[in-house]
Amino acid sequence: MNLNQAREYLLTLLPQAGEILKKYFVSGEFTFQSKGGFDFLTQADEEVDLFLREGIKKQFPGTQLLTEETAPKDHQTLKEIKNLWVIDPLDGTINFSRGNPHFAISVGLVDKGISKFGVVLVPLENKLYWAEQDQENVFLNGEPIKVSTTENLEKAVMACDWTWDLEKRLKVVTWLNKSCSKVLQIKQMGSAVADLADLAAGKLDIYLHSGLKPWDVAACTLFIEKAGGRITTPSGEKWNVFNPEMLASNGFLHTKILDLIS
Ligand SMILES: [Mg+2]
């Protein structure tokens, strides 16, 4: 896989996908349905999923894809694949459906659970991020970004998310119970992709999630790493993109928050 070629292609493909989302977002006319329980999708999720799938298949024939809207139930079996394109056509579907512009598109290339290339677009905020394994930096609209330098929990801005898996939500409650009185602020903004990209850009200091899917993290985890941050499981173990539980931070706060929640 030629990563330069991949970057060139995806940096033009994602803005096109973003235009599809914008069209639906502005018109407000789209179907909205449950995939089961509290997991929802719109017509826009499906259309962008298809658009990205077809584009990437054509550009990189023979490589395997894992997309949110076509993922098999047992996608954990894809853990050992060397070049796996992992696609989230719309992260933050509820925000999107309620007229909230905090949503994102994510495409990552994963090598046995490790992200080696990623592009993310937050279309309504005009933010285009990318990072590559062999490059030193992660870029936002062409400029390198860094994580925050916050070192004290009392100055820390933390974010979490409530997975649609209702049982896993209780884990977040437990973590928050142990940490909420120690940090400056706790946010829940509804798009793991946009939030993790914000962490890489220094807008958040800590992020917690109990029910992530590979397509939420395939690109952003590389951003956080390249921006100088750190990712482990919430109990401090080694993490990969197939792990649903994550603690991400600017690095400076990592052991401090681990001491509280693990
Ligand atoms: Mg999605």
Side-chain angles (χ1 to χ4, degrees):
M1 178 72 58
N2 180 329
L3 292 184
N4 283 334
Q5 223 173 41
R7 180 184 73 221
E8 220 167 276
Y9 179 66
L10 285 158
L11 287 179
T12 58
L13 191 70
L14 261 70
Q16 292 169 37
E19 289 306 312
I20 301 173
L21 290 187
K22 272 187 196 167
K23 181 192 76 183
Y24 281 112
F25 184 78
V26 170
S27 75
E29 285 169 21
F30 45 80
T31 59
F32 180 73
Q33 69 198 78
S34 172
K35 291 193 261 184
F38 281 28
D39 191 13
F40 288 91
L41 102 161
T42 71
Q43 209 172 342
D45 297 67
E46 287 182 304
E47 191 172 325
V48 174
D49 199 278
L50 178 66
F51 175 79
L52 293 172
R53 216 159 64 219
E54 287 189 334
I56 290 171
K57 264 190 199 162
K58 207 168 145 194
Q59 188 74 11
F60 309 103
T63 50
Q64 229 172 313
L65 270 68
L66 172 62
T67 87
E68 177 170 14
E69 307 313 339
T70 62
K73 265 216 156 59
D74 58 345
H75 57 260
Q76 289 282 340
T77 56
L78 301 173
K79 238 185 216 166
E80 292 306 316
I81 290 179
K82 205 167 156 32
N83 280 317
L84 179 69
W85 286 107
V86 184
I87 298 169
D88 193 338
L90 168 48
D91 185 62
T93 297
I94 302 295
N95 283 351
F96 177 86
S97 74
R98 301 294 295 265
N100 179 334
H102 193 67
F103 56 83
I105 304 169
S106 172
V107 177
L109 185 66
V110 172
D111 184 356
K112 295 185 178 176
I114 308 293
S115 173
K116 60 179 190 182
F117 168 75
V119 183
V120 161
L121 177 71
V122 186
L124 271 288
E125 296 172 12
N126 292 313
K127 289 178 178 169
L128 183 61
Y129 302 82
W130 68 270
E132 224 173 274
Q133 197 175 44
D134 303 336
Q135 299 253 354
E136 200 185 321
N137 293 303
V138 44
F139 297 90
L140 163 56
N141 296 340
E143 297 295 324
I145 51 173
K146 285 281 167 217
V147 292
S148 69
T149 55
T150 312
E151 287 185 31
N152 300 319
L153 282 172
E154 57 270 27
K155 290 185 180 163
V157 178
M158 182 158 107
C160 66
D161 236 310
W162 301 101
T163 164
W164 52 265
D165 184 327
L166 301 182
E167 286 201 2
K168 288 182 180 167
R169 288 185 180 183
L170 293 173
K171 284 209 167 176
V172 178
V173 173
T174 309
W175 297 330
L176 292 181
N177 195 25
K178 292 174 174 172
S179 59
C180 70
S181 62
K182 312 282 186 197
V183 297
L184 177 64
Q185 198 179 48
I186 299 166
K187 294 177 184 293
Q188 199 276 311
M189 296 179 289
S191 166
V193 171
D195 295 350
L196 290 169
D198 272 347
L199 197 153
K203 294 196 162 56
L204 295 172
D205 305 310
I206 301 165
Y207 185 81
L208 280 165
H209 204 303
S210 65
L212 289 162
K213 303 288 185 187
W215 43 87
D216 296 321
V217 292
C220 283
T221 51
L222 186 60
F223 300 170
I224 290 170
E225 187 190 307
K226 294 290 176 187
R230 192 175 162 201
I231 301 172
T232 64
T233 70
S235 45
E237 283 133 28
K238 200 166 181 266
W239 183 92
N240 75 56
V241 302
F242 287 88
N243 197 319
E245 296 186 2
M246 171 199 268
L247 167 64
S249 80
N250 66 0
F252 301 105
L253 290 161
H254 210 87
T255 51
K256 291 175 184 169
I257 192 78
L258 266 181
D259 286 346
L260 291 176
I261 66 167
S262 64

